[in-house]
Amino acid sequence: MHGLPPFQTLLDRYANDVMATLRGAVGRVDADDVFQETFLAALRAYPCLKDDRNLRGWLLTIAHRKAIDHHRARGRRPLPVAEMEAVVEARAVAPEIPTPDDGVWEKVAGLPPKQRAAVTLRFASDLPHAEIAAALGCSPAAARRSLHEGLTKLRKELS
Amino acid sequence: MTTTTEMAIERFRAAAAAEGLLDVAYASADSPFGTLLLAQTPRGLVRVGLPNQDREELLEELAAKLSPRVLEAPSQLDAARRELDRYFAGELREFDLPVDWALSHGFRQQVLQGIAAIPYGETRTYTEMAAGAGNPRAVRAAGSACGSNPTPLVVPCHRVLRLSGGLGGYAGGLAMKESLLELEAEHHS
């Protein structure tokens, strides 16, 4: 008998966090698809999970891997024009949640992958450096560096 | 929870069901006695939580004993909900739902399968159920099997009484047991 909580608990508690993280990482339009991939992957792996001490960190780690996969797949195939237009159109529609960020997340989406992931994990998901490092598969020092570089770049662009 | 997140969850549920990942699907159901919790596996109805039972505790128990892939999925339990509605309305005498017996074993399961065969509107005694399961002296064990019935209502343990004619016990409270017996007496022709 193991002590994992019902999977529904993870949805109830962390679905909003995962969605916010993914919006930062892949944009509002694609976040829904990557959300599906994230939770399906989590549900498949869940019964074998050994350590239930940080379920939120585990989910966000999967979310970031899926976001990176998504960017890789995107990078390999060019965006069809129709899809481009859809993206532009969707972004033009007023966001349903007020985002008091003055376009910051748009700029975040334009950062190189590692920096973007570090910035989103730190500020959208509120993860500490050690967990960002675990999610990115690098050392805490490297995670700190990516975060620093990302923030420096953002400051420059926003000033 | 924002609307888009809720819609994303809805889509995820459907995808999980399509992929056969809903090891335990659960939903709430209204009843004249309060809210029931219904849970099912791909094999059938596995748990009916009565209104006075702790919902979180029941779900944790299912996660521990069956699979942690426990997800709320109301549409999966439409058939169960419909049959229970009709039962409470006095329109349904025999449930047609498959039951997953995974939560009971051995003698207990035999007692419960015996109970499942008690016809609508009739009653039996704990002694009869013990004998039916092959051990007439295990009256106390038969009583405890009734008490731990994972799927009350559908496996009608409310139809089992004391030899003296006393009500015995009921997980949902004696008032509920009494009402169920009255309902059945009324619609039993």
Side-chain angles (χ1 to χ4, degrees):
Chain A
M1 191 163 123
H2 39 73
L4 290 173
F7 194 83
Q8 183 65 39
T9 318
L10 275 67
L11 276 174
D12 294 342
R13 288 192 193 149
Y14 309 124
N16 277 335
D17 289 356
V18 168
M19 194 55 111
T21 298
L22 290 175
R23 279 186 187 148
V26 303
R28 191 169 281 279
V29 178
D30 292 335
D32 188 75
D33 284 342
V34 187
F35 178 96
Q36 305 301 322
E37 285 165 24
T38 299
F39 271 99
L40 281 172
L43 183 61
R44 280 184 215 116
Y46 192 51
C48 300
L49 188 64
K50 295 277 180 280
D51 186 353
D52 67 344
R53 277 172 302 180
N54 187 359
L55 293 169
R56 182 172 178 272
W58 177 68
L59 274 175
L60 292 174
T61 305
I62 298 174
H64 270 275
R65 262 192 238 123
K66 293 295 174 193
I68 289 166
D69 288 352
H70 174 83
H71 282 297
R72 283 199 190 122
R74 268 289 135 104
R76 270 187 233 112
R77 67 187 156 89
L79 268 185
V81 176
E83 200 171 331
M84 250 337 229
E85 279 166 359
V87 171
V88 172
E89 211 169 290
R91 293 217 168 124
V93 174
E96 115 218 50
I97 314 166
T99 38
D101 59 20
D102 303 321
V104 171
W105 290 112
E106 295 273 313
K107 292 275 191 289
V108 171
L111 290 173
K114 274 235 156 143
Q115 294 177 15
R116 177 180 53 228
V119 170
T120 347
L121 284 171
R122 182 68 195 95
F123 296 100
S125 314
D126 203 24
L127 285 189
H129 292 109
E131 283 180 29
I132 297 174
L136 295 180
C138 64
S139 70
R144 207 178 281 268
R145 205 160 44 239
S146 293
L147 180 61
H148 179 74
E149 284 164 2
L151 290 179
T152 310
K153 198 154 181 219
L154 283 177
R155 275 195 205 104
K156 219 179 282 168
E157 284 186 20
L158 290 166
S159 64
Chain B
M1 195 96 27
T2 66
T3 331
T4 31
T5 308
E6 267 168 28
M7 279 162 62
I9 290 176
E10 196 56 50
R11 214 182 123 195
F12 161 67
R13 255 183 215 139
E19 215 182 287
L21 291 170
L22 285 187
D23 292 353
V24 182
Y26 73 88
S28 299
D30 290 330
S31 88
F33 304 96
T35 309
L36 305 172
L37 177 79
L38 309 178
Q40 79 182 19
T41 70
R43 285 175 300 279
L45 193 69
V46 76
R47 193 77 175 88
V48 175
L50 298 173
N52 62 341
Q53 293 176 317
D54 188 285
R55 187 183 167 91
E56 298 307 313
E57 230 169 75
L58 289 181
L59 293 174
E60 275 165 27
E61 187 196 324
L62 293 172
K65 290 190 177 163
L66 296 173
S67 159
R69 287 187 190 134
V70 178
L71 276 171
E72 187 169 15
S75 62
Q76 300 287 319
L77 288 128
D78 283 348
R81 210 182 290 103
R82 256 196 312 272
E83 288 206 11
L84 281 161
D85 281 346
R86 291 184 51 226
Y87 170 77
F88 289 123
E91 294 164 14
L92 181 124
R93 309 233 169 133
E94 207 174 313
F95 288 98
D96 195 25
L97 298 165
V99 172
D100 181 346
W101 301 92
L103 292 173
S104 55
H105 304 278
F107 182 73
R108 281 175 183 239
Q109 194 188 109
Q110 277 178 289
V111 171
L112 292 171
Q113 287 181 346
I115 292 172
I118 306 174
Y120 187 88
E122 292 184 24
T123 60
R124 298 286 184 274
T125 64
Y126 293 106
T127 316
E128 283 171 313
M129 296 328 295
N135 191 349
R137 286 188 302 176
V139 180
R140 202 175 279 273
S144 118
C146 296
S148 67
N149 178 10
T151 50
L153 299 166
V154 175
V155 172
C157 57
H158 59 273
R159 292 178 198 154
V160 187
L161 307 174
R162 287 215 175 116
L163 196 54
S164 61
L167 274 178
Y170 196 60
L174 284 182
M176 181 170 174
K177 185 170 187 171
E178 212 161 10
S179 306
L180 291 171
L181 292 170
E182 279 167 19
L183 167 93
E184 294 189 8
E186 211 175 296
H187 292 90
H188 181 56
S189 49

